[in-house]
Amino acid sequence: MSDIKTMGQQFGRRSWAEPWKIKMVEPIHMITRAEREKAAADAGYNTFLLRSEDVYIDLLTDSGTSAMSDRQWSGMMMGDEAYAGSRNFYNLENAIQTYYGYKHIIPTHQGRGAEHLISQALIKKGDYIPGNMYFTTTRLHQELAGGTFVDVIIDQAHDPIDPHLFKGNVDIDKVKALVKKVGAENIPYVSLAGTVNMAGGQPVSMQNARELRAYCDSQGIAVYLDATRMYENAFFIQEREEGYAEKSIAEILLEFCSYTDGAWMSAKKDNLVNIGGWLAVNDPKVAEQARTMVVVYEGLHTYGGMAGRDMEALAIGIAEGVQDDHVASRVRQVRYLGKLLLDWDIPIMQPVGGHAIFVDAKRFYPHIPQDQFPSQTLAAQLYLDSGVRSMERGVVSAGRNPETGEHRYPALELTRITIPRRVYTQAHMDVVAESLKAVYDQRDSTKGLKMVYEPEYLRFFQARFELLD
Ligand code: PM9
C-alpha cells in the first residue's frame, strides 16, 4: 500500500496532501493599497505594529498561530481549572515524558518563561554560554542572568547559499576553543537548538548531537535543548541522515533528546497550541530550583501560567504534532513556496528550512546598506504590495552590543516568511510568491528605512521607522 512517503516514487507525479480537512474557516480579506499605505505608516513600517485586521495573509510567525484540531478543541472542554494539581497537568507531564523522555516537567506561560527559569537556575555572573546561533529571547535571558552568549554554529550556517544539509550543527572545535579560553567551570551548559530559527530553520544532525554530548561529558558541561522546532529537526534527520529513514519522527525525537539534560519549549510552535510552554529537566536539583522560581514568575508548578484547558490542548497537540504525515506535509508546504521563489531566481536562504522561507535581503536589495535595514524594508514592501505580513530577521533583530552600544551586524540579513501550521493552503502560497515577485521586480527603485524609535530590549518588536525618500 502506498503512503505519503512512497506515492511520488511509485507513480512519478503523485502529489502529497495535508493529513486533515477543514471544518471551520476564518474569513480574511485584502484592504486597498491606500489603506495599506496608511496602516504601514501608522505602524512605523514595523510589521509587529500592524493591526491583524489590516493583514491579508499573516506570515509573521508560526508561533501560536496554528489551527487546533477537533480533538484539541474537545480537550479544551475538559479543563480542570483547580488551582493546584489539575488533572490536565498530569496529562501534559505524561505527554512530555512519553515523547521527549525527560523526567521533571515545569509548565510555563510560553517559551521565554522557560528560558527565564533555566537561565536563572544555571547561569552565574561571568559565565559563557555557547550556542548554535543566537535566538533573540534566549540570548537576552542568558545575558540578563549575567552570562555572555558565544556563537559556536558551523561557519556554513552564516552563508545563505551553502548547501550543507545540517547547517544547524555545532562546530565542536569552537566549543573546545571556548573551554580552553574561559575554562569548563565557567560554561554551565551548551545551548543547543533544533532547528535553528535565525539560521533559516536549519537542522542539527543526530551525529552532531551525539558527538557534542560525548565531548561535554568529558568536560562536565551540560547540554540543554531549545526543543521549540525539534519535530521538524527530526524530519530532516529522517530524510537526510543515514540509518534514520525507517525510524519514526517520535523515535528520532526521543533519541535526540536523550543526548541532552533537559529542554525548554515554546509549545506555540511544534506542539500546535496558541499559548503555552514548558521546561523539562532530568536533574532533580535543577528541577527544584526551577519549581522554586516558577511560583514567583509564572504560577503554581502545576499550571505555570496556563489554564487547565490550555494544558489539555497542549498534551493532545504534543501527540498530534509528532506524527510523521503531519510534519512531512508541513515542511513540504514550506518547500512548495521555496520552489516557486527559486524558479523566479528570488534570492532565498538554502536549503529551505522547516518553518519558513528566509529571503536574503542583502541579495534582494544589494543597493541598501545594512544600516538602512534591507530586510525591514522588504517586509514593509511586501505588506504594501499585497497585505502579506512577514518579519525582519537581520540587523534590527540582532540589536546592539551591550558593551559598545553599536548595532550588531549579522552576516544573515533575512526577511522571514513564516508558515503557520494547518492554516493556509497552496493557493495562499501562490499569492505570496507572486507578490514577492512583484516586489522583486521593483527592487531597483526601492529605498531603505531610517529608525526613529528604538526600545531598550528586543527592539524588533516595537521599533519604528520612516521611509528614506
Ligand atoms: N519564536 C518566532 O516568531 C516568537 C517570538 S520572537 C519573534 O520565531 C525559539 C527557537 C523561538 C522562540 C520564539 C522562543 C521563545 C524560543 N526559542 O515566543 O516565548 O523561535 O513562546 O518562545 C518566535 P515564546
Side-chain angles (χ1 to χ4, degrees):
M1 208 183 92
S2 46
D3 61 19
I4 196 162
K5 270 196 245 165
T6 56
M7 278 173 82
Q9 296 154 15
Q10 283 176 314
F11 300 106
R13 171 160 165 74
R14 291 287 293 267
S15 298
W16 58 272
E18 290 84 359
W20 39 261
K21 56 185 178 177
I22 298 165
K23 95 161 93 181
M24 186 191 276
V25 296
E26 177 181 341
I28 53 175
H29 80 286
M30 193 194 291
I31 58 174
T32 64
R33 170 90 197 188
E35 288 166 335
R36 293 198 297 278
E37 281 173 7
K38 179 170 184 319
D42 288 350
Y45 299 94
N46 183 346
T47 50
F48 277 101
L49 300 179
L50 288 166
R51 287 167 177 253
S52 89
E53 284 179 341
D54 294 334
V55 172
Y56 173 41
I57 299 175
D58 201 346
L59 307 184
L60 181 75
T61 177
D62 62 334
S63 182
T65 52
S66 301
M68 292 208 297
S69 68
D70 50 0
R71 274 82 173 160
Q72 287 178 288
W73 279 108
S74 62
M76 296 284 283
M77 301 306 289
M78 300 297 285
D80 169 3
E81 306 305 343
Y83 187 88
S86 159
R87 97 177 141 256
N88 310 120
F89 167 73
Y90 296 103
N91 292 343
L92 173 60
E93 182 180 56
N94 182 45
I96 298 169
Q97 288 168 340
T98 303
Y99 289 101
Y100 292 85
Y102 301 115
K103 291 188 184 131
H104 308 285
I105 313 302
I106 295 110
T108 59
H109 75 286
Q110 59 182 81
R112 68 199 73 179
E115 288 172 340
H116 177 215
L117 300 182
I118 195 72
S119 305
Q120 293 291 333
L122 297 181
I123 299 170
K124 62 181 188 331
K125 200 171 164 27
D127 276 350
Y128 293 84
I129 303 94
N132 55 343
M133 199 171 272
Y134 87 98
F135 184 70
T136 51
T137 55
T138 318
R139 179 175 66 189
L140 181 59
H141 278 297
Q142 291 164 351
E143 288 173 352
L144 290 173
T148 301
F149 173 83
V150 181
D151 189 3
V152 293
I153 202 166
I154 58 172
D155 288 342
Q156 290 91 326
H158 295 282
D159 176 348
I161 54 169
D162 190 292
H164 197 294
L165 292 178
F166 290 101
K167 276 169 108 169
N169 278 355
V170 171
D171 183 336
I172 296 173
D173 285 339
K174 289 185 186 172
V175 185
K176 288 181 184 166
L178 184 69
V179 169
K180 205 167 162 205
K181 189 168 157 205
V182 305
E185 66 282 8
N186 294 314
I187 303 177
Y189 62 98
V190 174
S191 177
L192 179 69
T195 57
V196 183
N197 193 350
M198 304 301 280
Q202 304 294 329
V204 179
S205 71
M206 191 72 86
Q207 190 188 340
N208 189 245
R210 208 180 291 124
E211 285 171 10
L212 179 68
R213 171 87 259 173
Y215 173 68
C216 286
D217 277 349
S218 76
Q219 301 298 314
I221 298 171
V223 179
Y224 279 87
L225 177 67
D226 183 335
T228 298
R229 296 184 183 85
M230 261 312 296
Y231 293 174
E232 291 157 19
N233 200 102
F235 171 82
F236 289 117
I237 290 175
Q238 185 188 60
E239 184 184 64
R240 299 174 181 175
E241 195 164 348
E242 213 184 317
Y244 289 93
E246 299 308 320
K247 297 214 160 150
S248 67
I249 287 177
E251 288 169 321
I252 296 170
L253 178 71
L254 257 188
E255 183 187 337
F256 197 102
C257 292
S258 75
Y259 301 128
T260 66
D261 296 281
W264 63 89
M265 179 74 186
S266 171
K268 300 167 75 175
K269 283 82 163 176
D270 270 357
N271 291 168
L272 298 171
V273 286
N274 305 122
I275 193 71
W278 46 264
L279 177 67
V281 299
N282 289 334
D283 183 335
K285 286 210 185 83
V286 178
E288 192 187 336
Q289 273 175 284
R291 279 199 199 100
T292 306
M293 269 190 313
V294 76
V295 296
V296 180
Y297 292 105
E298 302 281 319
L300 195 74
H301 58 281
T302 54
Y303 75 84
M306 278 184 282
R309 55 183 172 270
D310 295 332
M311 292 191 282
E312 192 61 29
L314 171 50
I316 297 168
I318 287 173
E320 272 182 16
V322 79
Q323 300 306 317
D324 285 36
D325 53 359
H326 160 72
V327 188
S329 78
R330 189 263 183 302
V331 176
R332 284 177 181 147
Q333 186 181 37
V334 177
R335 279 186 192 158
Y336 174 84
L337 176 58
K339 181 166 182 330
L340 292 177
L341 300 175
L342 286 170
D343 287 348
W344 285 322
D345 292 327
I346 295 174
I348 63 170
M349 177 111 190
Q350 293 177 64
V352 168
H355 65 300
I357 295 298
F358 288 72
V359 184
D360 183 354
K362 277 189 185 166
R363 281 187 294 145
F364 197 101
Y365 291 133
H367 57 287
I368 301 182
Q370 227 173 339
D371 60 5
Q372 291 177 13
F373 312 111
S375 41
Q376 189 81 39
T377 303
L378 174 51
Q381 292 298 330
L382 183 62
Y383 174 75
L384 288 171
D385 182 72
S386 60
V388 170
R389 172 151 69 171
S390 58
M391 182 199 290
E392 196 268 2
R393 294 277 77 160
V395 65
V396 184
S397 294
R400 291 182 187 272
N401 180 320
E403 274 157 30
T404 64
E406 296 297 316
H407 288 310
R408 294 191 255 222
Y409 288 102
L412 297 174
E413 180 71 32
L414 308 167
T415 304
R416 191 182 75 175
I417 300 175
T418 334
I419 316 297
R421 295 163 186 81
R422 309 195 291 204
V423 172
Y424 291 110
T425 65
Q426 286 186 198
H428 292 110
M429 298 301 111
D430 291 338
V431 169
V432 173
E434 288 158 22
S435 176
L436 257 169
K437 170 87 168 79
V439 174
Y440 194 50
D441 290 345
Q442 290 161 15
R443 62 192 179 280
D444 292 339
S445 57
T446 303
K447 298 203 172 99
L449 295 167
K450 179 169 79 168
M451 195 188 283
V452 293
Y453 166 71
E454 164 178 17
E456 187 179 355
Y457 295 127
L458 303 175
R459 64 184 181 173
F460 59 94
F461 283 131
Q462 290 157 333
R464 300 184 69 83
F465 303 83
E466 282 172 4
L467 294 174
L468 260 183
D469 55 3

